[in-house]
Amino acid sequence: MFFQFVGFLVLVRLTSASDVENCPDPASVDNSIFVAKQEEGQLLGTYFCLQGYHLVGKRTIHCNASMVWDAPSPTCHLGHCPDPALFNGEFNSLGPVQMSDNITFQCDDGYILMGSSWSQCLEDHTWEPPLPICKSRDCGPPGNPAHGYFEGNDFNAGSNITYYCEERYCLVGTQHQQCVDGEWSSTLPFCQQVPQTELEKVLLAFQEGKDLCQATKDFLKRLKESGLIMEEVKYVLEMKKAELEAKRLL
């Protein structure tokens, strides 16, 4: 074993000189250590960046049958972790980040921080906790449930919407929702079909038939099958008429 210094490169060979005399010396890489060893009939070389630097490129190369290295040498860049990034926000790092450095994050007005407000550069070149993102406090347009709809055209933070269902459907879930920190306050509700009552099936006879005589026959037939009496039908029709009249006057 012997050591060779080339500029800021520290070259460490773990093989004898005869093992590597036919392979050229690897290119000098500043701020790195190069370890070469013979394995399965070929010479392998691995670069390790010094503390405070991170490697860009292929870490391990080998000397092939043509006595040339199979890949260009990597480089060692100052700053142990990748540069942090935060759209719609800012952090307190102004230069290359070293190992064990901590940085803190803050979002611009109108945005909320999703994730940790700080992170540290670790020895394996990663950030922990993972870098956060800044998300808008406003909400996107909400979805429409099948056979339903919502009322409201403001989707900014603090705005409210109300869900409704079509006729013959009832709402299951939260009807009134608010935009809070970029999310609607509840999950999307759904509209459940309301089963027909015997009376509704009887009245449907008039809607299904275009011929008045046939529609009347169908109505009387269904009325008999249901066991209802005409007075009950009359009462329900009067109630529906009153409801429609009240809606018209609103």
Side-chain angles (χ1 to χ4, degrees):
M1 178 187 298
F2 62 91
F3 298 86
Q4 179 182 353
F5 295 87
V6 184
F8 288 98
L9 168 70
V10 181
L11 176 63
V12 181
R13 284 189 176 136
L14 302 181
T15 61
S16 65
S18 60
D19 293 326
V20 298
E21 60 184 1
N22 292 325
C23 287
D25 285 340
S28 174
V29 176
D30 290 347
N31 305 299
S32 74
I33 297 175
F34 181 85
V35 178
K37 65 177 180 178
Q38 196 170 24
E39 186 176 286
E40 297 181 356
Q42 64 178 355
L43 187 64
L44 299 179
T46 302
Y47 287 91
F48 299 92
C49 292
L50 301 181
Q51 182 173 330
Y53 294 83
H54 65 276
L55 186 135
V56 176
K58 189 175 181 180
R59 179 179 297 280
T60 299
I61 59 178
H62 73 270
C63 185
N64 58 31
S66 301
M67 295 300 128
V68 295
W69 296 100
D70 70 331
S73 300
T75 55
C76 291
H77 291 249
L78 182 66
H80 198 76
C81 281
D83 291 337
L86 185 67
F87 296 104
N88 303 309
E90 57 185 20
F91 47 87
N92 65 345
S93 174
L94 300 178
V97 180
Q98 307 298 319
M99 184 178 63
S100 299
D101 283 354
N102 288 331
I103 57 175
T104 57
F105 304 94
Q106 183 177 351
C107 292
D108 298 336
D109 291 341
Y111 291 84
I112 182 172
L113 192 73
M114 305 296 290
S116 175
S117 62
W118 66 275
S119 189
Q120 184 181 51
C121 177
L122 303 183
E123 292 185 7
D124 62 355
H125 306 174
T126 62
W127 290 103
E128 184 62 33
L131 301 180
I133 62 172
C134 289
K135 183 178 180 180
S136 175
R137 292 183 180 274
D138 297 334
C139 294
N144 271 326
H147 304 289
Y149 59 95
F150 68 86
E151 289 185 354
N153 52 19
D154 181 4
F155 309 137
N156 295 326
S159 61
N160 295 280
I161 59 171
T162 303
Y163 281 98
Y164 298 95
C165 290
E166 298 172 356
E167 188 176 355
R168 300 196 55 76
Y169 289 85
C170 64
L171 191 77
V172 178
T174 305
Q175 182 177 26
H176 304 287
Q177 299 195 22
Q178 185 177 50
C179 177
V180 180
D181 291 337
E183 300 286 345
W184 293 106
S185 56
S186 297
T187 57
L188 184 71
F190 64 94
C191 294
Q192 187 176 62
Q193 188 171 20
V194 179
Q196 282 186 324
T197 64
E198 289 299 322
L199 177 58
E200 289 172 324
K201 293 178 182 178
V202 170
L203 296 175
L204 192 61
F206 284 108
Q207 301 175 10
E208 294 176 341
K210 294 182 179 180
D211 180 78
L212 181 59
C213 293
Q214 185 61 46
T216 302
K217 290 180 181 179
D218 292 340
F219 166 73
L220 294 174
K221 179 182 178 182
R222 293 189 182 184
L223 182 64
K224 183 178 180 180
E225 291 173 349
S226 67
L228 298 172
I229 59 176
M230 189 62 71
E231 284 73 13
E232 291 176 308
V233 176
K234 181 179 178 182
Y235 173 77
V236 172
L237 291 176
E238 290 294 336
M239 292 296 295
K240 287 186 173 293
K241 178 181 178 182
E243 290 177 4
L244 293 174
E245 188 68 21
K247 290 181 178 180
R248 187 182 67 81
L249 295 176
L250 291 178

